[in-house]
Each structure stands twice: as C-alpha cells, then as structure tokens.
Amino acid sequence: MYEGAIQDLIDELGRLPGVGPKSAQRIAFHILSADPADVTRLATALRKVKELVRFCAICHNVAESEQCRICRDPRRSDEVLCVVEEPKDVVAIERTGEFRGRYHVLGGAINPLEGVGPDNLRIRELMIRLGEGTVKELILATDPNTEGEATATYIALMVKPMGISVTRLASGLPVGGDLEYADEITLGRAFEGRRAV
Ligand SMILES: [Zn+2]
C-alpha cells in the first residue's frame, strides 16, 4: 500500500498479537509523527527486552538475572509452590497479596488441537523440583478453561503418589476465562478457598 519503511513498519506491527491491519497503520503513522526522543525510547525498550530479559533458572518466570526476584526472596516459603501457565499469571497472583510461597511457570497449557502436549511444558522441571522434597503443598493455578483444567488434572495425577498436598483455586473465577482477567478480590478469594484435588 505504502512504499518502503512505513510499509515495513505496518507489516511488522501487523504481526503482533491483537494488532489488526487498521491498528498497525494507525500506530505506524503515530510513530511517524511522534517526537524523535519518544521513538528512540521505544526502540531502546524493544532492544533491551531481548538483550536483558531471560527466564529464571528455577521457576521460569521472566528475570534479569540467573534467578527472578521471587526466587531470590529469602522471606518466601519454600513449602508452598504455585503452578501457573505464564509469567503474567505470576503478576496477577502477586497483585492479590495472598501468596507468600514460590512459583513454577509451565510456559502454557496442554492443548492437543495446537499440538501442545505435556512434553512441551515445563512439567519435567516441576517434577524435579518436587523431587527435592521441600514442597508440602502444590497449588494448581492454571486458567479456569478446558486447557487449564486438563493441565491441572494431568499434574495432579502425577504428583499425588508423591504424598504432596495438591490444591486447585476455588470456584468463583470466570469459567472459560483467563487468570489475568480476574480482579484482585476474586482471585484473592479463590486463593483462600482453594480445595484439595
Ligand atoms: Zn524464579
């Protein structure tokens, strides 16, 4: 449609999740007319996120060093481990202020239609962590949808023989939804009212 750099930018923006062709065009023209200092900051932020951010060696949350902020915190309990799908779920649970244990980020949920099986998630790493014998309770905080439930059921079956208490967040979360969209109070209550599975 356009020539050269502006079309390249529209094409790149259009490949981002949730950005349609019209939004891509609007953002591209916004950038074109923006203050050069603002655009430089955006470009720097894009470059830095790839250079600096990596995944925590213990829980696989996003981190800027070998271990994330939560894994490095000595005041948190090693006895309670909360399993989530994505780093954004860690943020959602941290916002509730209800949880003082550690996390394990799976990197997704079991989804046969999209070719995601247990081997594509960090379930093996989870089993190794649990094998160390420190964790007394495992909280399955995967999303309240089909894939999240399937993942929770799969992990619960594997972990139960290890004699670790396995709990799932209480109902009240919007079914079929995404953990990150639950408000803090609802998610906080779901945490308090977690039940054994
Ligand atoms: Zn970590």
Side-chain angles (χ1 to χ4, degrees):
M1 280 192 295
Y2 301 96
E3 53 180 308
I6 188 77
Q7 188 61 47
D8 290 346
L9 181 57
I10 293 170
D11 292 343
E12 289 307 317
L13 291 167
R15 290 167 58 192
L16 300 174
V19 181
K22 278 189 180 158
S23 299
Q25 188 172 311
R26 200 167 58 240
I27 297 166
F29 278 97
H30 170 82
I31 290 171
L32 189 62
S33 61
D35 182 37
D38 290 343
V39 180
T40 303
R41 258 203 319 280
L42 174 63
T44 307
L46 287 171
R47 207 185 59 244
K48 273 181 146 175
V49 80
K50 290 304 288 179
E51 279 173 10
L52 300 179
V53 180
R54 44 184 167 156
F55 293 97
C56 172
I58 297 176
C59 75
H60 310 283
N61 189 11
V62 286
E64 286 203 3
S65 54
E66 176 80 9
Q67 293 178 16
C68 75
R69 185 176 49 79
I70 295 170
C71 287
R72 287 199 315 264
D73 187 346
R75 294 163 300 176
R76 300 187 72 118
S77 169
D78 290 320
E79 296 189 347
V80 193
L81 189 64
C82 181
V83 175
V84 295
E85 294 180 20
E86 306 285 353
K88 62 186 165 59
D89 301 322
V90 172
V91 175
I93 292 169
E94 285 299 288
R95 268 204 309 262
T96 70
E98 289 287 335
F99 184 61
R100 299 297 302 158
R102 310 279 182 186
Y103 291 94
H104 189 87
V105 181
L106 294 171
I110 295 172
N111 187 343
L113 291 176
E114 289 187 11
V116 182
D119 293 345
N120 304 111
L121 305 172
R122 298 189 193 96
I123 292 178
R124 198 173 52 87
E125 290 87 340
L126 172 65
M127 300 311 287
I128 293 169
R129 281 182 85 180
L130 295 176
E132 289 163 8
T134 319
V135 176
K136 304 273 187 288
E137 181 187 356
L138 188 71
I139 303 171
L140 299 170
T142 49
D143 287 343
N145 54 28
T146 314
E147 294 79 20
E149 291 297 340
T151 310
T153 305
Y154 180 87
I155 294 173
L157 285 172
M158 286 186 77
V159 173
K160 271 194 176 164
M162 302 172 85
I164 296 167
S165 153
V166 182
T167 56
R168 180 94 175 102
L169 296 193
S171 54
L173 292 172
V175 174
D178 205 321
L179 211 63
E180 67 168 318
Y181 300 131
D183 67 89
E184 287 147 50
I185 295 168
T186 307
L187 187 54
R189 281 198 191 128
F191 236 90
E192 278 178 60
R194 62 188 185 269
R195 55 187 162 72
V197 291

